[in-house]
Structures are given as structure tokens and as C-alpha cells.
């Protein structure tokens, strides 16, 4: 059974940092692309970042470029999202998911390409 579990959310002030982790079980996290998405109240789910299969290229939505990084730990079978210089507009529930098929150049433009969504972790940026 494939399972993805997010952790690391919390409340931080603007300008602060958080590190989210996506623990993958049931499959090797390196075979599929892993994506991070977020959903704010009243808004649609938005793709944030992804790392391609075989630890390939990464991709980021424009609003987080230069602030967020994504990394894969093959030994731990996890994919982390390091979020720096956080802004109030980053407030959302963050989810991770894996692609339905191996993807050598990932994109988070189409959430329908992902499955096995985690339960989400709340990130709140507020002073």
C-alpha cells in the first residue's frame, strides 16, 4: 500500500522558515516524481514544487522561486520542502503526492497527474 505522510507545518512569522517533509512508503520515492501542492481557504489547489524521477530536475511555481527548495533523501525515502522568507500568502494546507507514472521532467501544472495524496499539513504565516 502506497502512503505519503506530510509533517513539519506550523505557525511562523513573516520572513521565517519551515521545513516540510513527505515520508513515502510502499514505493521507492525515487521512481516517481514527487510534488508539493497547497490549498488556501476558498482557493483552488496550487502546485508548488516537484522533483522528477531518478532525482532529476526540480520545478517551482513562480511565486516561490528563490525562496523554496526541494530535496529528496533516497535513504530515508522522503522529499523535503524547505521554505524560507515566508509570506502571509504562503498560508495554506500543504500536500505531497506522487505521479501516476515515472516522470523525468516533472511539472505541478496538472494535479490530475498525481495520486496517493497525503492528508496535508497546515502552514500559517502570521505576525
Amino acid at each position: 500500500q502506497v502512503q505519503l505522510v506530510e509533517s513539519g507545518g506550523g505557525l511562523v512569522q513573516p520572513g521565517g522558515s519551515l521545513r516540510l517533509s513527505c515520508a513515502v512508503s510502499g514505493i521507492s520515492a525515487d521512481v516517481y516524481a514527487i510534488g508539493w501542492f497547497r490549498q488556501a481557504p476558498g482557493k483552488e489547489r496550487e502546485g508548488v514544487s516537484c522533483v522528477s524521477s531518478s532525482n532529476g530536475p526540480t520545478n517551482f511555481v513562480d511565486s516561490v522561486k528563490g525562496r523554496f527548495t526541494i530535496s529528496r533523501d533516497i535513504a530515508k525515502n522522503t522529499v523535503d520542502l524547505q521554505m524560507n522568507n515566508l509570506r502571509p500568502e504562503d498560508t495554506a494546507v500543504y500536500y505531497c503526492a506522487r505521479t501516476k507514472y515515472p516522470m523525468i521532467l516533472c511539472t505541478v501544472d496538472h494535479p490530475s497527474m498525481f495520486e496517493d495524496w497525503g492528508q496535508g499539513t497546515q502552514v500559517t504565516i502570521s505576525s
Side-chain angles (χ1 to χ4, degrees):
Q1 181 181 358
V2 179
Q3 191 173 20
L4 281 73
V5 179
E6 305 93 340
S7 62
L11 170 65
V12 297
Q13 294 184 344
S17 298
L18 278 175
R19 189 177 183 88
L20 306 184
S21 187
C22 176
V24 181
S25 61
I27 56 169
S28 170
D30 192 45
V31 173
Y32 300 90
I34 304 295
W36 280 97
F37 298 80
R38 65 187 180 186
Q39 188 165 20
K43 294 188 177 181
E44 294 187 354
R45 187 168 297 189
E46 173 192 33
V48 176
S49 180
C50 61
V51 56
S52 303
S53 301
S54 301
N55 219 24
T58 59
N59 207 345
F60 297 88
V61 69
D62 285 346
S63 61
V64 307
K65 286 181 180 177
R67 300 189 297 125
F68 290 13
T69 59
I70 189 170
S71 60
R72 190 198 304 261
D73 187 322
I74 296 175
K76 294 182 179 179
N77 218 26
T78 58
V79 175
D80 289 356
L81 184 69
Q82 177 66 42
M83 308 186 295
N84 299 325
N85 193 20
L86 285 162
R87 304 167 180 170
E89 53 264 39
D90 294 319
T91 295
V93 178
Y94 283 70
Y95 302 87
C96 63
R98 59 109 173 181
T99 50
K100 296 179 180 179
Y101 308 101
M103 187 178 291
I104 61 173
L105 184 59
C106 68
T107 174
V108 289
D109 290 344
H110 306 288
S112 62
M113 299 174 70
F114 290 78
E115 62 183 3
D116 295 322
W117 296 81
Q119 81 289 348
T121 186
Q122 176 70 47
V123 171
T124 303
I125 314 304
S126 176
S127 55

